[in-house]
């Protein structure tokens, strides 16, 4: 191997025949590129592009890198998919099934803290914000900037959704909590909540407003196989 030949990443797993061609086609559809346009950006003919997609990067490492760059992906992302892609990329299981969770099962799934999404009524339409949440005495609590979008007034009807998807097993769950907000104003309660695991927001910043959601309905579903 000379100094101009890209090294093969040993951490990248071999890709089955046809998978790479599918990745290229899906990315082209996402970017609105035709095969001819991609081939032109990668400085090769459409026929050679198809041959490279079927043969894999070993056929022409530099050409493969040009294809990846034209698709705005790294070599690894083109071979295996983006690491920051949303869940659900592999598709459904062979025999998928949907199961309802009981309320105790829902609380078990929520754990003691995590990240969820709070949905609020707004104009011109509903809005959704990600929040770090805590579970405290069967209520959902989060902290936010008093001037931020998630800083709802007390006695507001809201919903919180938390979910988890396992792409490898093609299964997951989703829990929905619907309730009414209360502001946590008691200094002792605020100090106690601030000491709990998960109380520090991932977004950082000064977020002194604590909002408690008193549940009125807790429901959940689990996706599995039969």
């Amino acid at each position: 191997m000379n100094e101009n030949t890209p090294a093969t990443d040993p951490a990248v797993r071999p890709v089955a025949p046809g998978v790479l061609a599918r990745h290229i086609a899906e990315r082209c559809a996402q970017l609105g590129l035709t095969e001819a346009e991609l081939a032109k950006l990668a400085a090769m003919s459409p026929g050679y592009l198809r041959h490279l997609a079927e043969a894999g990067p070993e056929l022409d490492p530099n050409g493969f890198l040009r294809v990846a760059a034209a698709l705005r992906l790294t070599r690894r992302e083109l071979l295996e998919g983006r690491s920051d892609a949303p869940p659900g990329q592999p598709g459904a299981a062979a025999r998928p099934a949907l199961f309802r969770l009981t309320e105790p099962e829902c609380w078990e799934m929520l754990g003691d803290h995590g990240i969820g999404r709070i949905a609020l009524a707004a104009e011109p339409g509903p809005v959704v914000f990600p929040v770090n949440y805590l579970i405290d005495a069967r209520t959902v609590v989060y902290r936010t900037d008093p001037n931020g979008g998630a800083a709802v007034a007390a006695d507001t009807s809201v919903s919180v959704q938390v979910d988890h998807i396992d792409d490898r097993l093609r299964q997951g769950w989703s829990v929905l909590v619907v309730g009414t907000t209360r502001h946590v104003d008691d200094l002792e309660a605020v100090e106690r909540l601030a000491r709990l695991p998960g109380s520090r927001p991932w977004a950082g910043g000064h977020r002194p407003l604590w909002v408690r959601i008193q549940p009125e309905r807790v429901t959940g579903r689990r996706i599995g196989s039969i």
Side-chain angles (χ1 to χ4, degrees):
M1 178 183 297
N2 62 48
E3 63 181 5
N4 295 320
T5 302
T8 299
D9 184 351
V12 176
R13 297 184 296 273
V15 177
V19 172
L20 177 57
R22 189 182 80 242
H23 287 175
I24 291 175
E26 290 173 348
R27 183 62 171 171
C28 281
Q30 184 182 37
L31 298 177
L33 286 174
T34 65
E35 180 185 65
E37 289 170 337
L38 175 59
K40 183 177 180 179
L41 290 171
M44 60 183 66
S45 70
Y48 188 78
L49 172 62
R50 289 192 294 271
H51 183 45
L52 178 60
E54 292 298 331
E58 293 78 14
L59 174 70
D60 182 353
N62 285 310
F64 182 81
L65 289 179
R66 295 199 306 272
V67 172
L71 293 172
R72 305 176 202 169
L73 299 173
T74 66
R75 178 182 187 276
R76 183 166 189 161
E77 287 173 340
L78 182 50
L79 286 171
E80 298 185 356
R82 289 173 46 183
S83 60
D84 62 344
Q89 299 296 306
R95 301 175 64 189
L98 188 64
F99 306 93
R100 294 188 181 276
L101 298 174
T102 65
E103 184 169 333
E105 288 174 330
C106 290
W107 289 111
E108 179 66 23
M109 293 297 186
L110 292 175
D112 57 6
H113 70 279
I115 293 180
R117 296 175 297 278
I118 179 170
L120 314 171
E123 293 295 338
V127 294
V128 178
F129 299 98
V131 295
N132 289 79
Y133 72 86
L134 307 175
I135 300 300
D136 182 55
R138 291 293 177 96
T139 66
V140 180
V141 186
Y142 69 94
R143 62 193 300 184
T144 189
D145 181 340
N147 298 312
V152 295
D155 298 318
T156 299
S157 295
V158 300
S159 64
V160 176
Q161 184 179 37
V162 181
D163 49 45
H164 172 75
I165 299 295
D166 187 322
D167 274 344
R168 183 178 62 86
L169 297 177
R170 293 175 170 81
Q171 63 185 27
W173 55 264
S174 178
V175 170
L176 180 68
V177 178
V178 178
T180 305
T181 58
R182 302 284 186 272
H183 288 179
V184 182
D185 300 317
D186 180 72
L187 180 59
E188 183 176 344
V190 167
E191 291 177 344
R192 179 180 63 81
L193 290 171
R195 292 193 297 268
L196 295 177
S199 63
R200 184 178 181 183
W202 280 25
H206 185 54
R207 300 174 186 274
L209 175 61
W210 288 84
V211 180
R212 186 186 302 275
I213 301 171
Q214 185 67 47
E216 297 169 1
R217 186 169 74 254
V218 180
T219 58
R221 296 182 177 185
R222 178 175 62 84
I223 299 171
S225 299
I226 57 175

